[in-house]
Amino acid sequence: MKAIAVTPGQAGTFLVDREEPLLHAPDEIVVKVLDVGICGTDREEAAGGRSKPPEGSQELVIGHEMLGIVQEVGKAVTLVKTDDPVVFTVRRGCGHCGACTGGRPDMCTSGDYTERGIWGRDGYQAAFVVDREAYCVKVPQELTDIGVLVEPLSVAEKAIDESVLIQKSRLPYVHDAAGVLADRSILVAGLGPVGLLAAFALRLRGARVYGLDVVDEASPRASLLTGIGGTYIDGRKHAVDDITGVYGKMDMVFEATGVAPLELNLLDVLGTNGLYVLTGIPGGDRTVQVHGAEIVRRLVLNNQVMVGSVNASRTHYATAVDDLLRARQAYGPAVDRLITQRLPYKDPKEAFMRQTAEEIKTVIQWR
Ligand code: BGC
């Protein structure tokens, strides 16, 4: 079968021939891949940036945002049957830290985890893949068109969940159960797939969502946000310091840009007791000059929290599936419009190049 690979550390993607994967254990599931999304991490890998091949190999099959159809199940599998749409999760635990043995490899403390398609384990840009039932998430038939968005949405769901847990526990008298997000002002910085999916999840929970990007108001990214009741802020017209003047201080900032200087500047818009959650992973090693004392002073004097969030647990995948269904009910086909491009796997080069302003999510099709 065909698969798309990179040589970690070198720029470029290429097709490789691999053996079709077989069942080796009773709890395994063979999946025929339908769609695999491309995100900033894949593009970073394709540009020769952060990625690691499996032990003993020079090549890494990339791809971590997948949707497929069950082809065959091992004898012990009860979660799914042949022809069910499914998604496999990304991270595999180290097997020895408390987080991983407790079922939360997304919070692995040893750093010895692997990630399919990214770090030490082949990914999903292939005609067939196999993995264990424990890493499989069932997707309803009606989401077969957009189920590939489950993984990026799971990343947003985890960041939101972490933020709510933190705010609820430290401000129990200020925020009742519904109040951490409902009617709060939340700035989503970066309207790529993760930012926009976060905007959907936050709107579904009643938040006032402001979205910051540097695209035209009529572009797909900005109009998707305004279409679900969000307010678009064009970063080319508003410097970070005038956002507060126009829109007020934010209760929360959800960052999904991966642009380090902006990530730090955005602390400026955060209100007292506010929480800032970062999900963008900046590439490269360019240094950034910041006013350190001012940042620390603000965090301390305003009781602010800054938290990073990566990957997601299976619970967050399940929330993502629910939210895709809810988003369709609430906003019709708006969420479907996140997928702006579908390309055949046979000529993937173009797909891994840098993103254009019109593009939101590009999906490689293995159908
Ligand atoms: C993926 C995560 C992964 C992270 C770091 C992101 O693009 O969505 O699953 O943990 O990269 O490798």
Side-chain angles (χ1 to χ4, degrees):
M1 66 167 190
K2 297 289 179 201
I4 303 174
V6 294
T7 304
Q10 291 177 28
T13 53
F14 46 90
L15 280 177
V16 288
D17 283 304
R18 291 289 174 99
E19 294 284 321
E20 263 183 37
L22 302 171
L23 290 180
H24 287 297
D27 68 338
E28 283 185 339
I29 302 170
V30 177
V31 168
K32 178 176 163 40
V33 175
L34 297 178
D35 295 329
V36 184
I38 293 180
C39 79
T41 299
D42 298 288
R43 289 190 163 119
E44 171 83 14
E45 292 175 57
R50 184 178 164 273
S51 72
K52 184 170 138 186
E55 236 173 74
S57 169
Q58 306 279 335
E59 287 171 359
L60 171 76
V61 174
I62 60 171
H64 59 278
E65 301 180 358
M66 62 84 70
L67 172 80
I69 294 270
V70 174
Q71 174 89 1
E72 197 186 345
V73 295
K75 283 197 188 73
V77 172
T78 55
L79 179 75
V80 289
K81 53 181 189 338
T82 310
D83 289 340
D84 281 346
V86 291
V87 163
F88 281 137
T89 61
V90 178
R91 194 176 279 195
R92 302 293 169 260
C94 67
H96 52 82
C97 82
C100 291
T101 52
R104 287 293 301 266
D106 60 307
M107 300 299 264
C108 177
T109 55
S110 70
D112 298 337
Y113 60 81
T114 54
E115 286 182 343
R116 292 209 60 167
I118 305 172
W119 205 247
R121 211 176 263 264
D122 278 334
Y124 304 126
Q125 291 283 15
F128 292 92
V129 291
V130 66
D131 216 321
R132 299 177 54 195
E133 182 177 30
Y135 308 123
C136 182
V137 178
K138 195 171 167 180
V139 172
Q141 287 284 355
E142 65 218 89
L143 291 183
T144 314
D145 287 350
I146 55 167
V148 68
L149 298 175
V150 168
E151 195 279 341
L153 180 51
S154 76
V155 168
E157 300 286 7
K158 174 179 169 181
I160 294 169
D161 183 34
E162 292 274 293
S163 307
V164 170
L165 284 172
I166 294 168
Q167 292 299 66
K168 266 194 195 168
S169 65
R170 76 187 188 117
L171 302 166
Y173 307 109
V174 180
H175 294 309
D176 57 27
V180 178
L181 301 174
D183 287 329
R184 303 280 162 190
S185 294
I186 302 183
L187 180 77
V188 175
L191 298 178
V194 171
L196 277 170
L197 286 164
F200 272 90
L202 292 166
R203 288 290 301 133
L204 287 171
R205 287 160 184 77
R208 267 191 306 276
V209 175
Y210 300 88
L212 176 70
D213 209 308
V214 288
V215 291
D216 293 338
E217 189 118 23
S219 71
R221 287 192 239 165
S223 42
L224 253 176
L225 177 77
T226 52
I228 60 168
T231 303
Y232 176 58
I233 305 175
D234 186 338
R236 297 166 305 184
K237 295 185 188 149
H238 292 277
V240 169
D241 12 355
D242 44 82
I243 293 179
T244 303
V246 182
Y247 303 101
K249 286 279 185 193
M250 299 289 155
D251 298 297
M252 183 174 149
V253 176
F254 183 110
E255 185 284 328
T257 67
V259 180
L262 176 65
E263 289 182 336
L264 292 164
N265 265 343
L266 280 173
L267 259 177
D268 218 51
V269 305
L270 195 62
T272 306
N273 294 351
L275 179 141
Y276 184 161
V277 62
L278 296 114
T279 68
I281 308 172
D285 45 19
R286 241 190 297 156
T287 54
V288 180
Q289 256 198 334
V290 290
H291 197 325
E294 175 60 20
I295 291 182
V296 175
R297 201 159 40 230
R298 271 210 203 129
L299 283 166
V300 174
L301 290 176
N302 295 309
N303 287 307
Q304 293 169 332
V305 179
M306 208 171 174
V307 59
S309 178
V310 71
N311 202 254
S313 72
R314 270 190 72 171
T315 315
H316 301 122
Y317 277 76
T319 312
V321 168
D322 287 348
D323 275 0
L324 286 180
L325 291 169
R326 289 173 67 200
R328 275 242 182 102
Q329 271 165 16
Y331 306 113
V335 70
D336 299 54
R337 289 204 285 272
L338 257 97
I339 300 175
T340 46
Q341 188 174 212
R342 291 182 185 269
L343 298 171
Y345 71 86
K346 287 185 181 139
D347 186 19
K349 279 215 174 64
E350 181 199 336
F352 289 92
M353 293 199 288
R354 292 289 148 192
Q355 204 179 14
T356 65
E358 295 304 298
E359 180 196 353
I360 303 176
K361 172 63 70 191
T362 291
V363 168
I364 300 284
Q365 279 201 315
W366 291 86
R367 290 164 190 256

